[in-house]
Amino acid sequence: MAVDYAVIVVYLAGMLGMGWWGMRRAKSKSEFLVAGRRLGPWMYSGTMAAIVLGGASTIGGVGLGYQYGLSGAWMVFTIGLGLLALSVFFSARIARLKVYTVSEMLDLRYGGKAGLISGIVMWAYTLMLAVTSTIAYATIFNVLFEVDRTWAIVLGGTIVVAYSTLGGMWSITLTDMVQFVVKTIGVLLLLLPIAIVKAGGFGEMKAKLPTEYFDPLGIGGETIFTYVLIYTFGMLIGQDIWQRVFTARSDRTARWGGTVAGTYCLIYALAGAVIGTAAKVLFPKLDNPENAFATMVKEELPVGVRGLVLAAALAAVMSTSSGALIASATVANNDIWARLRGAVAPRGDGEGGEGAGTDRDEVKGNRAFILIMGVAVIVIAIQLDTVLEGLTVAYDLLVGGLLVPILGGLLWKRGTVHGALAGVIVGGLVVIAMMWQYSVLANEPVYYGLLSSLAAYVIVSLTTRPTDAAVLANWRERLSGRGGEEAAGETGETGADGAAGEAGAAEPASVPS
């Protein structure tokens, strides 16, 4: 075990080192929040795959494989499908907008007023996503090293908060690349083949398990449909995902890099299900399916390899946790706090200024919000029990409240700001009410929430004044890649990739212009 501990300590120390290195590059708001919009295909693909494949995809995916067999791959598989759809159909347009948050996109499309409400819903989603990832530390440390659950959450959460606060998106990008490599080696190249061999191969697995474990639809059609609604559509609109799209240096990078990452997710989904199926053969009496991953690592892997695979699990958890954390902080600062402060404070207090001093203030403010959100995530994670429960709450709110207004804004020019607000509010409230009526893990909340959001959006949009022609003209300009950089007056270090205007982003109920 000493060797395994050493591997983990080296890995965690490396994450902190990457955070310190990233701090040297994060000198402006653009560098801190979206890595200067300068990531190339290789780094973009790795970081995008890292953010979407977290603790739920790794520990939860193996757990579903343990419980349902190969059909347990569907949860992660639908995540990959969503990422592919985002990359092929929407990523280029999203990247051209040169904004920082989804709510800024809504304000740009609808002409203001939608940002605060949508920001609150998006903040709740990103916060819960960070919480679910943080909970996963307890599963890893508790089963493998018998570390107390609370201390496991505090330890893992503190390291993520530290490197995220230091360097923002640059630190997270650098750590995600390391985590992507570690995860690939640990899960795909080591744990997967070892699990199959230890279980006696597929022939032995089929002989010892019920036939439904090898039925591609064994998990149930309704469950698969719900996964598509929650995860496939959730990938299209989440702030944590869009914030990675904003880091791409070109349309081509966003499209093809995301396609590579989505394909990787499909492979990862199948690998997790196979590992879980093998675990069912080896350990048929586990009380909690989510312990299947950690039990396999603890009982079946040799010293040294065990530490590397554990590092892979930590990599999966940390990549999603850090991405969700910076997304939550970005939304809280830019979409909620800046707007509320703007409503009660006079303009001209230095937020819209230019120059190095303003850059430092912007970075300092976002750093403070990451720290605050990080502490909140750790505290909430200690109170909750399961990963899938928190993840379901997060995605139900996201899809039920924001899917229709966001996709409607991208695809339907007749949608109005009042329709968008109605869709967000009605959809979100129905999701919450249905969770209370049925249960957190029930399928009904997202069904009713999505349908009510669609009805409210369409009806209110058709019965209110169409969006102003000037707003739509500006929207089309931004979608074509014109207007954002020139107005912002901010470029990356190479001068090729400007970010959205920092002054505009800080203004209440507006977008960079």
Side-chain angles (χ1 to χ4, degrees):
M1 292 295 288
V3 175
D4 297 325
Y5 279 116
V7 171
I8 299 305
V9 170
V10 169
Y11 169 75
L12 295 177
M15 294 301 97
L16 291 174
M18 290 290 182
W20 184 264
W21 187 17
M23 183 175 66
R24 298 168 57 191
R25 304 197 66 171
K27 302 299 184 183
S28 68
K29 181 178 181 180
S30 174
E31 297 284 349
F32 191 84
L33 294 183
V34 291
R37 306 185 196 273
R38 290 187 286 114
L39 296 191
W42 165 239
M43 292 192 75
Y44 180 86
S45 297
T47 58
M48 183 61 86
I51 179 75
V52 300
L53 296 175
S57 298
T58 303
I59 297 169
V62 172
L64 288 172
Y66 183 89
Q67 192 171 0
Y68 298 104
L70 297 186
S71 66
W74 273 106
M75 184 186 78
V76 183
F77 200 83
T78 55
I79 290 174
L81 292 178
L83 187 51
L84 286 171
L86 173 71
S87 302
V88 172
F89 299 112
F90 298 107
S91 63
R93 283 187 283 178
I94 293 170
R96 291 186 204 123
L97 292 174
K98 302 297 184 192
V99 294
Y100 290 107
T101 68
V102 175
S103 295
E104 288 178 10
M105 166 264 166
L106 290 173
D107 277 351
L108 185 64
R109 164 61 181 82
Y110 294 112
K113 300 180 182 179
L116 180 59
I117 300 299
S118 63
I120 292 172
V121 175
M122 188 64 75
W123 172 75
Y125 156 71
T126 53
L127 186 72
M128 287 306 299
L129 186 59
V131 167
T132 60
S133 298
T134 305
I135 291 172
Y137 298 126
T139 301
I140 299 170
F141 284 114
N142 183 262
V143 172
L144 290 172
F145 300 125
E146 299 181 357
V147 176
D148 178 75
R149 180 182 185 277
T150 298
W151 285 111
I153 291 173
V154 171
L155 174 62
T158 299
I159 292 172
V160 169
V161 172
Y163 72 69
S164 301
T165 303
L166 284 172
M169 187 59 80
W170 268 122
S171 291
I172 292 171
T173 297
L174 294 171
T175 55
D176 277 358
M177 282 306 300
V178 175
Q179 289 160 352
F180 172 73
V181 172
V182 170
K183 187 159 46 180
T184 300
I185 295 172
V187 175
L188 297 185
L189 302 184
L190 291 177
L191 183 58
L192 175 61
I194 290 173
I196 294 172
V197 171
K198 291 282 188 178
F202 284 102
E204 189 70 14
M205 291 161 66
K206 286 185 177 181
K208 291 186 175 180
L209 294 174
T211 55
E212 56 264 27
Y213 264 69
F214 302 92
D215 179 358
L217 304 179
I219 199 170
E222 184 179 356
T223 299
I224 295 171
F225 178 68
T226 302
Y227 284 160
V228 170
L229 281 184
I230 294 177
Y231 299 119
T232 301
F233 286 116
M235 288 295 105
L236 300 179
I237 59 175
Q239 170 67 25
D240 53 320
I241 310 302
W242 278 40
Q243 200 156 343
R244 295 309 173 102
V245 176
F246 299 152
T247 66
R249 72 183 179 197
S250 67
D251 295 354
R252 183 179 178 83
T253 296
R255 183 181 296 111
W256 291 108
T259 300
V260 170
T263 304
Y264 179 90
C265 291
L266 303 183
I267 298 170
Y268 200 89
L270 184 59
V274 171
I275 293 168
T277 304
K280 183 66 175 179
V281 172
L282 295 167
F283 309 100
K285 302 295 186 180
L286 292 181
D287 294 332
N288 184 355
E290 289 190 2
N291 289 338
F293 179 93
T295 303
M296 281 287 293
V297 174
K298 180 180 180 181
E299 301 295 338
E300 297 298 333
L301 298 186
V303 173
V305 174
R306 184 190 311 153
L308 184 56
V309 175
L310 175 58
L314 287 172
V317 175
M318 286 183 168
S319 57
T320 297
S321 181
S322 59
L325 178 60
I326 193 172
S328 177
T330 302
V331 171
N333 189 15
N334 292 271
D335 293 335
I336 300 176
W337 172 243
R339 297 166 195 271
L340 292 176
R341 181 178 55 182
V344 298
R347 298 274 299 277
D349 59 353
E351 285 298 310
E354 299 180 357
T358 300
D359 284 342
R360 286 193 296 270
D361 290 344
E362 292 279 8
V363 172
K364 182 179 178 181
N366 282 291
R367 219 174 241 140
F369 268 87
I370 290 178
L371 183 60
I372 294 168
M373 291 298 105
V375 172
V377 163
I378 292 171
V379 171
I380 296 171
I382 292 172
Q383 308 303 317
L384 294 182
D385 292 327
T386 68
V387 172
L388 290 179
E389 223 175 71
L391 197 67
T392 300
V393 172
Y395 274 99
D396 279 1
L397 283 173
L398 176 70
V399 173
L402 289 179
L403 177 67
V404 170
I406 293 172
L407 293 189
L410 289 169
L411 301 173
W412 189 41
K413 69 178 182 179
R414 184 60 181 83
T416 68
V417 64
H418 298 96
L421 284 170
V424 173
I425 294 171
V426 172
L429 290 177
V430 169
V431 165
I432 294 171
M434 291 300 101
M435 283 183 179
W436 184 270
Q437 174 70 27
Y438 293 95
S439 74
V440 169
L441 295 177
N443 295 327
E444 286 82 1
V446 70
Y447 295 166
Y448 288 118
L450 192 55
L451 289 173
S452 60
S453 178
L454 177 61
Y457 178 73
V458 172
I459 292 171
V460 175
S461 290
L462 291 176
T463 54
T464 53
R465 180 180 300 177
T467 304
D468 187 84
V471 172
L472 289 177
N474 182 50
W475 167 253
R476 287 190 292 270
E477 283 287 298
R478 293 292 285 271
L479 277 180
S480 67
R482 299 187 297 270
E485 295 181 29
E486 294 83 352
E490 174 188 338
T491 60
E493 291 178 274
T494 63
D497 292 274
E502 294 179 16
E507 293 176 3
S510 67
V511 296
S513 59

